[in-house]
Amino acid sequence: MISKAGTKADSILIHHFDRSNRNTHDQLNVIYELALKGIRIISTDGLDSMNPDHREKILEEAVTAEEYSIRLSRETMKGLKVNAEKMLHNGGTPPYGYVVGPDKKLHIDLAKEPAVKAIFEKYAAGLSYDKIIEWLDDNGYKTAKGETFGKTSIKSILENEKYCGNYFWNKRSGKDFRGMRNSNKLKDESEQYHVIGGVPAIVSEELFNKVQERLRDNKSKIRNHNGKNFYPMNGKIFCSKCGAPLKGKVQYSKTNKNGEIIIEGLLVLNVWS
């Protein structure tokens, strides 16, 4: 709303304030930012964001809208939990290599199954993402959207435990109070729903675990590189007191105007906290 208003508008007409935003903080922030530009928000029921007498009612509508959104989210989660207990697909695009059947469960897509197997087998054998993508292209395999595979999509497949037959739901953290989501943060195990053997497996658990081991090794190697600096001992040296891994760190002199690097010995070790 703020970006579309620009500097030419002097007022914005909306249906109701409780329909413009479902987050009280964001609602008030929009009103504030527009007020700084001299722009008022007017609803069809006569509320004016610049009228001091209307602020209490606007705030009330904003709070009511947020409370409704929270209740709706809870009810939606209840329905999704019921689906998870039945190991049904809980919406969204199914993982590559699967289709959603009439029973709303995941079934193997026989046309794409060979591609999924090849991705796991080739990565476990030591092939790079680029080589795997090249093989997929040469054999006519495309993503669900009909596009060429990318490194991100390959990595997403390799990390998805559904391919070895494990059903999971509610694994990733939801949005926080700011409406921001951290997809790398996992929920507490008590909130997750996990069933071993709940999905038809495309690859064996042994192959999947072998792939996860290589992914972890590669991730560790990447962390050992920091720009132009390489720390081969990262993750291999541990503190004798607390057991924490040690990491390399380049120290810059605060007095050297040329920004020359000062390294204590070959490697500066700091406890990774």
Side-chain angles (χ1 to χ4, degrees), residues 10-87:
D10 57 15
S11 61
I12 297 175
L13 180 66
I14 63 174
H15 184 49
H16 288 293
F17 276 91
D18 62 359
R19 302 296 298 170
S20 64
N21 206 302
R22 293 299 173 90
N23 181 287
T24 305
H25 176 272
D26 291 346
Q27 172 84 287
L28 299 179
N29 186 59
V30 168
I31 292 174
Y32 174 76
E33 292 293 334
L34 290 175
L36 290 178
K37 297 182 178 183
I39 303 173
R40 64 190 345 115
I41 305 175
I42 303 173
S43 67
T44 54
D45 55 0
L47 293 178
D48 185 340
S49 63
M50 291 250 190
N51 189 331
D53 295 334
H54 294 174
R55 288 174 184 171
E56 183 178 351
K57 179 61 177 177
I58 291 173
L59 179 59
E60 180 184 325
E61 289 195 5
V63 172
T64 301
E66 182 168 358
E67 290 177 344
Y68 171 78
S69 180
I70 293 172
R71 289 197 303 272
L72 182 62
S73 178
R74 287 173 179 168
E75 291 303 315
T76 300
M77 287 295 288
K78 287 181 182 178
L80 294 175
K81 186 177 181 180
V82 171
N83 288 345
E85 290 171 350
K86 299 177 182 179
M87 290 173 287

Coordinates of all heavy atoms in Angstrom, one line a residue, residues 10-87:
D10 N -3.4 11.8 -1.8 CA -3.6 12.5 -0.5 C -4.5 11.7 0.3 O -4.6 11.9 1.5 CB -4.1 13.9 -0.7 CG -5.4 13.9 -1.5 OD1 -6.0 12.9 -1.7 OD2 -5.8 15.0 -1.9
S11 N -5.1 10.6 -0.2 CA -5.9 9.7 0.6 C -6.1 8.4 -0.2 O -6.0 8.3 -1.4 CB -7.3 10.4 0.8 OG -8.0 10.6 -0.4
I12 N -6.4 7.4 0.6 CA -6.6 6.0 0.1 C -7.9 5.5 0.6 O -8.2 5.6 1.9 CB -5.5 5.1 0.5 CG1 -4.1 5.5 -0.1 CG2 -5.7 3.6 0.1 CD1 -2.9 4.7 0.4
L13 N -8.8 5.0 -0.2 CA -10.1 4.5 0.2 C -10.0 3.0 0.3 O -9.6 2.3 -0.7 CB -11.2 4.9 -0.8 CG -12.6 4.5 -0.6 CD1 -13.1 5.1 0.7 CD2 -13.5 4.8 -1.7
I14 N -10.4 2.5 1.4 CA -10.5 1.0 1.6 C -11.9 0.6 2.1 O -12.7 1.5 2.5 CB -9.4 0.5 2.6 CG1 -9.7 1.1 4.0 CG2 -8.0 0.9 2.2 CD1 -8.8 0.6 5.1
H15 N -12.2 -0.7 2.0 CA -13.5 -1.2 2.4 C -13.6 -1.1 3.9 O -14.5 -0.3 4.4 CB -13.7 -2.6 2.0 CG -15.0 -3.2 2.2 ND1 -16.2 -2.5 1.9 CD2 -15.4 -4.3 2.9 CE1 -17.2 -3.2 2.3 NE2 -16.8 -4.3 2.9
H16 N -12.8 -1.8 4.7 CA -12.7 -1.7 6.1 C -11.3 -1.9 6.6 O -10.5 -2.5 5.9 CB -13.6 -2.9 6.7 CG -15.1 -2.7 6.6 ND1 -15.8 -1.6 7.2 CD2 -16.0 -3.4 5.9 CE1 -17.0 -1.7 6.9 NE2 -17.2 -2.8 6.1
F17 N -11.0 -1.3 7.7 CA -9.6 -1.4 8.2 C -9.2 -2.8 8.6 O -8.1 -3.2 8.5 CB -9.4 -0.5 9.4 CG -9.1 1.0 9.1 CD1 -10.1 1.9 8.9 CD2 -7.8 1.4 8.9 CE1 -9.9 3.2 8.5 CE2 -7.5 2.7 8.5 CZ -8.5 3.6 8.4
D18 N -10.2 -3.6 9.0 CA -9.9 -5.0 9.4 C -9.6 -5.9 8.2 O -9.3 -7.0 8.4 CB -11.0 -5.6 10.3 CG -12.4 -5.6 9.5 OD1 -12.4 -5.2 8.4 OD2 -13.4 -6.1 10.1
R19 N -9.8 -5.3 7.0 CA -9.6 -6.1 5.8 C -8.2 -5.7 5.2 O -7.7 -6.4 4.3 CB -10.7 -5.9 4.8 CG -12.0 -6.3 5.2 CD -12.2 -7.7 5.5 NE -11.9 -8.6 4.4 CZ -11.8 -9.9 4.4 NH1 -11.8 -10.5 5.5 NH2 -11.5 -10.6 3.2
S20 N -7.6 -4.6 5.7 CA -6.4 -4.2 5.0 C -5.2 -4.9 5.6 O -4.1 -5.0 4.9 CB -6.2 -2.7 5.3 OG -6.1 -2.4 6.7
N21 N -5.2 -5.4 6.8 CA -4.1 -6.1 7.4 C -4.6 -7.0 8.5 O -5.5 -6.6 9.3 CB -3.0 -5.1 7.8 CG -1.6 -5.8 7.8 OD1 -1.4 -6.8 8.5 ND2 -0.7 -5.2 7.1
R22 N -3.9 -8.2 8.7 CA -4.3 -9.1 9.8 C -3.2 -9.1 10.9 O -3.2 -10.0 11.7 CB -4.5 -10.5 9.2 CG -5.7 -10.6 8.3 CD -7.0 -10.2 9.0 NE -8.2 -10.2 8.1 CZ -8.9 -11.3 7.9 NH1 -8.7 -12.4 8.4 NH2 -10.0 -11.1 7.1
N23 N -2.4 -8.0 10.9 CA -1.4 -7.9 11.9 C -1.4 -6.5 12.4 O -1.3 -5.5 11.7 CB 0.0 -8.2 11.3 CG 1.1 -8.1 12.3 OD1 1.5 -7.0 12.8 ND2 1.7 -9.2 12.7
T24 N -1.7 -6.4 13.7 CA -1.9 -5.1 14.3 C -0.7 -4.2 14.2 O -0.8 -3.0 13.8 CB -2.2 -5.2 15.9 OG1 -3.3 -6.1 16.0 CG2 -2.5 -3.9 16.5
H25 N 0.5 -4.7 14.4 CA 1.7 -3.9 14.3 C 1.9 -3.4 12.8 O 2.2 -2.2 12.6 CB 2.9 -4.7 14.7 CG 4.2 -4.0 14.5 ND1 4.9 -4.1 13.3 CD2 5.0 -3.2 15.3 CE1 6.0 -3.3 13.4 NE2 6.1 -2.8 14.6
D26 N 1.7 -4.3 11.9 CA 1.8 -3.8 10.5 C 0.7 -2.8 10.1 O 1.0 -1.9 9.3 CB 1.7 -5.1 9.5 CG 2.9 -6.0 9.7 OD1 3.9 -5.6 10.3 OD2 2.8 -7.1 9.2
Q27 N -0.5 -3.0 10.6 CA -1.6 -2.1 10.3 C -1.2 -0.7 10.8 O -1.3 0.3 10.0 CB -2.8 -2.6 11.0 CG -4.0 -1.6 11.0 CD -4.8 -1.7 9.7 OE1 -4.3 -1.3 8.6 NE2 -6.0 -2.3 9.8
L28 N -0.8 -0.6 12.0 CA -0.4 0.7 12.6 C 0.8 1.3 11.9 O 0.9 2.6 11.8 CB -0.2 0.6 14.1 CG -1.4 0.1 14.9 CD1 -1.0 0.0 16.4 CD2 -2.6 1.1 14.7
N29 N 1.7 0.5 11.5 CA 2.9 1.0 10.8 C 2.6 1.6 9.5 O 3.1 2.6 9.1 CB 3.9 -0.2 10.6 CG 5.2 0.3 10.1 OD1 5.9 1.1 10.6 ND2 5.6 -0.3 8.9
V30 N 1.7 0.9 8.7 CA 1.2 1.5 7.5 C 0.6 2.8 7.6 O 0.8 3.8 6.9 CB 0.2 0.5 6.8 CG1 -0.4 1.1 5.6 CG2 1.0 -0.8 6.3
I31 N -0.3 2.9 8.6 CA -1.0 4.2 8.9 C 0.0 5.3 9.2 O 0.0 6.4 8.8 CB -2.0 4.0 10.1 CG1 -3.1 3.1 9.7 CG2 -2.5 5.4 10.5 CD1 -4.1 2.8 10.8
Y32 N 1.0 4.9 10.0 CA 2.1 5.9 10.4 C 2.9 6.3 9.2 O 3.2 7.5 9.1 CB 3.0 5.2 11.5 CG 4.2 6.1 11.9 CD1 4.0 7.2 12.7 CD2 5.4 5.8 11.4 CE1 5.1 7.9 13.1 CE2 6.5 6.5 11.8 CZ 6.4 7.6 12.6 OH 7.5 8.4 12.9
E33 N 3.4 5.4 8.4 CA 4.2 5.7 7.3 C 3.5 6.6 6.3 O 4.0 7.5 5.7 CB 4.7 4.4 6.6 CG 5.6 3.6 7.4 CD 7.0 4.2 7.6 OE1 7.4 5.1 6.7 OE2 7.7 4.0 8.6
L34 N 2.2 6.3 6.1 CA 1.4 7.1 5.1 C 1.1 8.5 5.7 O 1.1 9.5 5.0 CB 0.1 6.4 4.8 CG 0.2 5.1 3.9 CD1 -1.2 4.5 3.8 CD2 0.7 5.5 2.6
A35 N 1.0 8.5 7.0 CA 0.7 9.8 7.7 C 1.9 10.7 7.5 O 1.8 12.0 7.3 CB 0.4 9.6 9.2
L36 N 3.1 10.2 7.5 CA 4.3 10.9 7.3 C 4.4 11.6 5.9 O 5.0 12.6 5.7 CB 5.6 10.0 7.5 CG 5.9 9.6 9.0 CD1 7.1 8.7 9.0 CD2 6.1 10.8 9.9
K37 N 3.7 10.9 5.0 CA 3.6 11.4 3.6 C 2.4 12.3 3.4 O 2.1 12.8 2.3 CB 3.6 10.3 2.6 CG 4.8 9.4 2.6 CD 4.7 8.3 1.6 CE 6.0 7.5 1.5 NZ 5.9 6.4 0.5
G38 N 1.7 12.5 4.5 CA 0.5 13.3 4.4 C -0.7 12.6 3.7 O -1.6 13.3 3.2
I39 N -0.7 11.3 3.8 CA -1.8 10.5 3.2 C -2.6 9.9 4.2 O -2.1 9.2 5.1 CB -1.1 9.4 2.3 CG1 -0.2 10.0 1.2 CG2 -2.2 8.6 1.6 CD1 0.5 9.0 0.4
R40 N -3.9 10.1 4.1 CA -4.9 9.5 5.1 C -5.5 8.3 4.4 O -5.7 8.2 3.2 CB -5.9 10.5 5.4 CG -6.8 11.0 4.3 CD -7.7 12.2 4.5 NE -7.9 12.6 5.9 CZ -7.5 13.7 6.4 NH1 -6.8 14.6 5.6 NH2 -7.8 14.1 7.6
I41 N -6.0 7.3 5.3 CA -6.7 6.2 4.9 C -8.2 6.4 5.3 O -8.4 6.6 6.5 CB -6.1 4.9 5.5 CG1 -4.7 4.7 5.1 CG2 -6.9 3.7 4.9 CD1 -4.0 3.5 5.8
I42 N -9.1 6.2 4.4 CA -10.5 6.4 4.7 C -11.3 5.1 4.4 O -11.1 4.6 3.2 CB -11.1 7.6 3.9 CG1 -10.3 8.9 4.2 CG2 -12.6 7.8 4.3 CD1 -10.7 10.0 3.4
S43 N -12.0 4.6 5.3 CA -12.8 3.4 5.0 C -14.2 3.7 4.6 O -14.7 4.8 4.8 CB -12.8 2.5 6.3 OG -13.6 3.1 7.3
T44 N -14.9 2.8 4.0 CA -16.3 3.0 3.5 C -17.3 3.2 4.7 O -18.3 3.8 4.4 CB -16.7 1.8 2.7 OG1 -16.6 0.6 3.4 CG2 -15.9 1.7 1.4
D45 N -16.9 2.9 5.9 CA -17.8 3.1 7.0 C -17.4 4.5 7.7 O -17.9 4.7 8.8 CB -17.8 2.0 8.0 CG -16.4 1.6 8.5 OD1 -15.4 2.3 8.1 OD2 -16.3 0.7 9.3
G46 N -16.6 5.3 7.1 CA -16.3 6.6 7.5 C -15.2 6.8 8.5 O -14.9 8.0 8.9
L47 N -14.4 5.8 8.7 CA -13.2 6.0 9.6 C -12.1 6.6 8.8 O -11.8 6.3 7.7 CB -12.8 4.6 10.2 CG -13.7 3.9 11.1 CD1 -13.1 2.6 11.6 CD2 -14.0 4.8 12.3
D48 N -11.4 7.5 9.5 CA -10.3 8.3 8.9 C -9.1 8.2 9.8 O -9.1 8.5 10.9 CB -10.7 9.8 8.8 CG -9.7 10.7 8.1 OD1 -8.5 10.2 8.0 OD2 -10.1 11.8 7.6
S49 N -8.0 7.7 9.2 CA -6.8 7.4 9.9 C -6.1 8.7 10.5 O -5.4 8.6 11.4 CB -5.7 6.7 9.0 OG -5.3 7.6 7.9
M50 N -6.5 9.9 10.0 CA -5.9 11.1 10.4 C -6.8 11.8 11.5 O -6.5 12.8 12.1 CB -5.7 12.1 9.3 CG -4.6 11.6 8.3 SD -3.2 12.7 8.5 CE -2.2 12.2 7.1
N51 N -8.0 11.2 11.7 CA -8.9 11.8 12.7 C -8.6 11.2 14.1 O -8.8 10.0 14.3 CB -10.3 11.5 12.3 CG -11.4 12.2 13.2 OD1 -11.1 12.5 14.3 ND2 -12.5 12.5 12.6
P52 N -8.2 12.0 15.1 CA -7.8 11.4 16.4 C -9.0 10.7 17.1 O -8.8 9.8 17.8 CB -7.4 12.7 17.2 CG -7.0 13.7 16.1 CD -7.9 13.4 15.0
D53 N -10.2 11.2 16.8 CA -11.4 10.5 17.4 C -11.7 9.1 16.9 O -12.5 8.4 17.4 CB -12.6 11.4 17.1 CG -12.5 12.8 17.8 OD1 -11.8 12.9 18.8 OD2 -13.2 13.7 17.3
H54 N -11.0 8.8 15.7 CA -11.3 7.5 15.1 C -10.2 6.4 15.4 O -10.3 5.3 15.1 CB -11.4 7.6 13.6 CG -12.6 8.4 13.1 ND1 -12.7 8.8 11.8 CD2 -13.6 8.9 13.8 CE1 -13.8 9.5 11.7 NE2 -14.4 9.6 12.9
R55 N -9.1 6.9 16.1 CA -8.0 6.0 16.3 C -8.3 4.8 17.2 O -7.9 3.7 16.9 CB -6.8 6.8 17.0 CG -6.2 7.7 16.0 CD -5.1 8.6 16.6 NE -4.6 9.6 15.7 CZ -3.8 10.6 16.0 NH1 -3.5 10.8 17.3 NH2 -3.4 11.4 15.1
E56 N -9.2 5.0 18.2 CA -9.5 3.9 19.1 C -10.3 2.8 18.3 O -10.0 1.6 18.5 CB -10.4 4.4 20.3 CG -10.7 3.3 21.3 CD -11.5 3.8 22.4 OE1 -11.7 5.1 22.6 OE2 -12.0 3.0 23.2
K57 N -11.2 3.2 17.5 CA -12.0 2.3 16.7 C -11.1 1.6 15.7 O -11.3 0.4 15.4 CB -13.1 3.1 16.0 CG -14.0 2.2 15.1 CD -14.7 1.1 15.9 CE -15.7 0.3 15.0 NZ -16.4 -0.8 15.7
I58 N -10.2 2.3 15.0 CA -9.3 1.7 14.1 C -8.4 0.6 14.8 O -8.2 -0.5 14.2 CB -8.4 2.7 13.4 CG1 -9.3 3.6 12.5 CG2 -7.3 2.1 12.6 CD1 -8.5 4.8 11.9
L59 N -7.9 1.0 15.9 CA -7.1 0.0 16.7 C -7.9 -1.2 17.1 O -7.4 -2.4 17.0 CB -6.5 0.7 18.0 CG -5.7 -0.2 18.9 CD1 -4.5 -0.7 18.1 CD2 -5.2 0.6 20.1
E60 N -9.1 -1.0 17.5 CA -10.0 -2.1 17.8 C -10.2 -3.1 16.7 O -10.2 -4.3 16.8 CB -11.4 -1.5 18.3 CG -12.4 -2.6 18.7 CD -13.7 -2.0 19.1 OE1 -13.7 -0.8 19.6 OE2 -14.8 -2.6 18.8
E61 N -10.5 -2.5 15.5 CA -10.6 -3.3 14.3 C -9.4 -4.1 13.9 O -9.4 -5.2 13.5 CB -11.1 -2.5 13.1 CG -12.5 -1.9 13.2 CD -13.0 -1.4 11.9 OE1 -12.3 -1.5 10.9 OE2 -14.2 -0.8 11.9
A62 N -8.2 -3.4 14.1 CA -6.9 -4.1 13.8 C -6.7 -5.3 14.8 O -6.3 -6.4 14.3 CB -5.8 -3.1 14.0
V63 N -7.0 -5.1 16.0 CA -6.8 -6.2 17.0 C -7.8 -7.3 16.7 O -7.4 -8.5 16.8 CB -7.0 -5.6 18.5 CG1 -7.1 -6.8 19.5 CG2 -5.9 -4.7 18.8
T64 N -9.0 -7.0 16.4 CA -10.1 -8.0 16.1 C -9.7 -8.8 14.9 O -9.8 -10.0 14.9 CB -11.4 -7.3 15.8 OG1 -11.8 -6.6 17.0 CG2 -12.5 -8.4 15.5
A65 N -9.1 -8.1 13.9 CA -8.7 -8.8 12.6 C -7.5 -9.8 12.9 O -7.5 -10.9 12.4 CB -8.2 -7.8 11.6
E66 N -6.6 -9.4 13.8 CA -5.5 -10.3 14.1 C -5.9 -11.4 14.9 O -5.5 -12.6 14.7 CB -4.4 -9.5 14.9 CG -3.2 -10.3 15.2 CD -2.0 -9.5 15.7 OE1 -2.1 -8.3 15.8 OE2 -1.0 -10.1 16.0
E67 N -6.9 -11.2 15.9 CA -7.4 -12.3 16.7 C -8.1 -13.3 15.8 O -8.0 -14.6 16.0 CB -8.3 -11.8 17.8 CG -7.6 -11.0 18.9 CD -8.6 -10.4 19.9 OE1 -9.8 -10.3 19.5 OE2 -8.1 -10.0 21.0
Y68 N -8.9 -12.8 14.8 CA -9.6 -13.7 13.9 C -8.6 -14.6 13.1 O -8.8 -15.8 12.9 CB -10.5 -12.9 12.9 CG -11.1 -13.7 11.8 CD1 -12.2 -14.6 12.1 CD2 -10.5 -13.7 10.5 CE1 -12.7 -15.3 11.1 CE2 -11.1 -14.5 9.5 CZ -12.2 -15.3 9.8 OH -12.7 -16.0 8.8
S69 N -7.5 -13.9 12.6 CA -6.5 -14.6 11.8 C -5.9 -15.7 12.6 O -5.6 -16.8 12.1 CB -5.4 -13.6 11.4 OG -4.4 -14.2 10.6
I70 N -5.6 -15.4 13.9 CA -5.0 -16.5 14.8 C -5.9 -17.6 15.0 O -5.5 -18.8 14.9 CB -4.6 -15.8 16.1 CG1 -3.4 -14.8 15.9 CG2 -4.2 -16.9 17.1 CD1 -3.1 -14.0 17.2
R71 N -7.2 -17.3 15.2 CA -8.2 -18.4 15.4 C -8.3 -19.3 14.2 O -8.4 -20.5 14.2 CB -9.5 -17.8 15.8 CG -9.6 -17.3 17.2 CD -11.1 -17.1 17.7 NE -11.8 -16.2 16.7 CZ -11.9 -14.9 16.8 NH1 -11.3 -14.3 17.8 NH2 -12.6 -14.2 16.0
L72 N -8.3 -18.6 13.0 CA -8.5 -19.3 11.8 C -7.3 -20.2 11.5 O -7.4 -21.4 11.0 CB -8.6 -18.3 10.6 CG -8.8 -18.9 9.2 CD1 -10.1 -19.7 9.1 CD2 -8.8 -17.8 8.2
S73 N -6.1 -19.7 11.9 CA -4.9 -20.5 11.7 C -4.9 -21.7 12.6 O -4.5 -22.8 12.2 CB -3.6 -19.6 12.1 OG -2.5 -20.4 12.0
R74 N -5.4 -21.6 13.8 CA -5.5 -22.7 14.7 C -6.5 -23.8 14.2 O -6.2 -25.0 14.3 CB -5.9 -22.3 16.1 CG -4.8 -21.5 16.9 CD -5.4 -20.9 18.1 NE -4.4 -20.2 18.9 CZ -4.6 -19.4 19.9 NH1 -5.9 -19.2 20.3 NH2 -3.6 -18.8 20.5
E75 N -7.6 -23.3 13.7 CA -8.6 -24.3 13.1 C -8.0 -25.0 11.9 O -8.3 -26.2 11.7 CB -9.9 -23.5 12.8 CG -10.7 -23.0 14.0 CD -11.0 -24.1 14.9 OE1 -11.5 -25.2 14.5 OE2 -10.8 -23.9 16.2
T76 N -7.3 -24.3 11.1 CA -6.7 -24.9 9.9 C -5.7 -25.9 10.3 O -5.6 -27.0 9.7 CB -6.0 -23.8 9.1 OG1 -6.9 -22.8 8.7 CG2 -5.3 -24.4 7.8
M77 N -4.9 -25.6 11.4 CA -3.9 -26.6 11.9 C -4.6 -27.9 12.4 O -4.0 -29.0 12.2 CB -3.1 -26.0 13.0 CG -2.0 -24.9 12.5 SD -0.8 -25.7 11.4 CE 0.2 -26.6 12.6
K78 N -5.7 -27.7 13.0 CA -6.5 -28.9 13.5 C -6.8 -29.8 12.3 O -6.7 -31.0 12.4 CB -7.7 -28.5 14.2 CG -7.5 -27.8 15.5 CD -8.9 -27.4 16.2 CE -8.7 -26.8 17.5 NZ -10.0 -26.4 18.1
G79 N -7.3 -29.2 11.2 CA -7.6 -30.0 10.0 C -6.4 -30.7 9.4 O -6.5 -31.9 9.0
L80 N -5.3 -30.0 9.4 CA -4.1 -30.5 8.8 C -3.5 -31.7 9.7 O -3.0 -32.6 9.2 CB -3.0 -29.4 8.7 CG -3.3 -28.3 7.7 CD1 -2.3 -27.2 7.7 CD2 -3.4 -28.9 6.3
K81 N -3.7 -31.5 11.0 CA -3.3 -32.6 11.9 C -4.1 -33.9 11.7 O -3.5 -35.0 11.7 CB -3.4 -32.1 13.4 CG -2.8 -33.1 14.4 CD -2.9 -32.6 15.8 CE -2.3 -33.6 16.8 NZ -2.4 -33.1 18.2
V82 N -5.4 -33.7 11.5 CA -6.2 -34.9 11.2 C -5.7 -35.6 9.9 O -5.6 -36.8 9.9 CB -7.7 -34.5 11.0 CG1 -8.5 -35.6 10.5 CG2 -8.3 -34.0 12.4
N83 N -5.4 -34.8 8.9 CA -4.9 -35.3 7.7 C -3.5 -36.1 7.9 O -3.3 -37.1 7.3 CB -4.6 -34.2 6.6 CG -5.9 -33.7 6.1 OD1 -7.0 -34.3 6.2 ND2 -5.8 -32.5 5.4
A84 N -2.7 -35.5 8.7 CA -1.4 -36.1 9.0 C -1.5 -37.4 9.7 O -0.8 -38.4 9.5 CB -0.5 -35.1 9.9
E85 N -2.5 -37.5 10.6 CA -2.7 -38.7 11.3 C -3.1 -39.9 10.4 O -2.9 -41.0 10.7 CB -3.8 -38.5 12.4 CG -3.3 -37.7 13.6 CD -4.5 -37.3 14.5 OE1 -5.6 -37.6 14.2 OE2 -4.2 -36.8 15.6
K86 N -3.7 -39.5 9.3 CA -4.1 -40.5 8.2 C -3.0 -40.6 7.1 O -3.2 -41.3 6.2 CB -5.4 -40.0 7.6 CG -6.6 -40.0 8.6 CD -7.9 -39.4 7.8 CE -9.0 -39.3 8.8 NZ -10.2 -38.8 8.1
M87 N -1.9 -39.8 7.3 CA -0.8 -39.8 6.4 C -1.2 -39.4 5.0 O -0.8 -39.9 4.0 CB -0.1 -41.2 6.3 CG 0.6 -41.5 7.6 SD 1.3 -43.2 7.6 CE -0.2 -44.2 7.9

